[in-house]
Amino acid sequence: MSDGRDAPNGLEQVRAMLAGGGQPPIGRTLDFALVEVEEGRAVFEGVPGEHAYNPMGQVHGGYAATLLDSACGIATYAKLAAGQGFTTLELKVAYHRAMTADTGKVRAEGIVTVFGRRIAYAEGKLTDASGRLLASATSTLLVLSQ
């Protein structure tokens, strides 16, 4: 049985997934993808469209929340040691601009601001191709050891 010392850390696992052409399954559902990852930072891009519309003819706020949660989560995952996991405890999202199918490509960047033994804090921002802020988030994440 392995003691975990030869197991890949979180960043290595995410990079291996990307190198193999993999993506988080939620990205296939909502049409977004992880495009950058480094220790404590992750970036997702997507194109919001009618597939994510609410009854008012705009992109549902859950689309922005999902991209921001993904960015903050993978940024945290990319700081984990082998054998660790995480779960989101809290996600607070502020919406700054509405999105529609005309918005074009959006970019969600998550950055870990504090990484402790049991708790991590991350911040995220969702911007359009012109750099305009569409939504922002703060996240509290529980670091799990196996």
Side-chain angles (χ1 to χ4, degrees):
M1 184 169 199
S2 172
D3 62 7
R5 283 184 274 190
D6 56 349
N9 64 29
L11 179 59
E12 292 165 339
Q13 290 177 42
V14 174
R15 284 184 172 162
M17 177 191 66
L18 285 175
Q23 285 290 328
I26 187 71
R28 287 191 299 274
T29 302
L30 292 177
D31 194 22
F32 68 85
L34 177 63
V35 296
E36 295 177 31
V37 65
E38 58 190 66
E39 185 177 341
R41 180 179 171 273
V43 178
F44 285 83
E45 290 182 346
V47 179
E50 292 182 11
H51 68 280
Y53 269 20
N54 62 27
M56 296 180 295
Q58 298 175 338
V59 174
H60 191 283
Y63 181 83
T66 300
L67 266 79
L68 289 164
D69 185 41
S70 297
C72 290
I74 295 298
T76 300
Y77 193 74
K79 285 193 68 72
L80 298 180
Q84 288 185 309
F86 79 95
T87 190
T88 301
L89 291 174
E90 178 182 56
L91 179 71
K92 180 180 178 186
V93 179
Y95 300 95
H96 305 283
R97 295 180 189 271
M99 289 184 283
T100 68
D102 295 329
T103 299
K105 186 183 287 187
V106 296
R107 181 178 174 92
E109 179 177 6
I111 297 174
V112 175
T113 56
V114 176
F115 188 81
R117 282 188 25 231
R118 298 281 294 151
I119 300 291
Y121 298 94
E123 296 177 349
K125 62 181 181 176
L126 181 67
T127 56
D128 66 11
S130 298
R132 290 181 296 202
L133 185 63
L134 303 171
S136 57
T138 57
S139 183
T140 305
L141 305 104
L142 177 64
V143 177
L144 306 167
S145 295
Q146 298 175 347

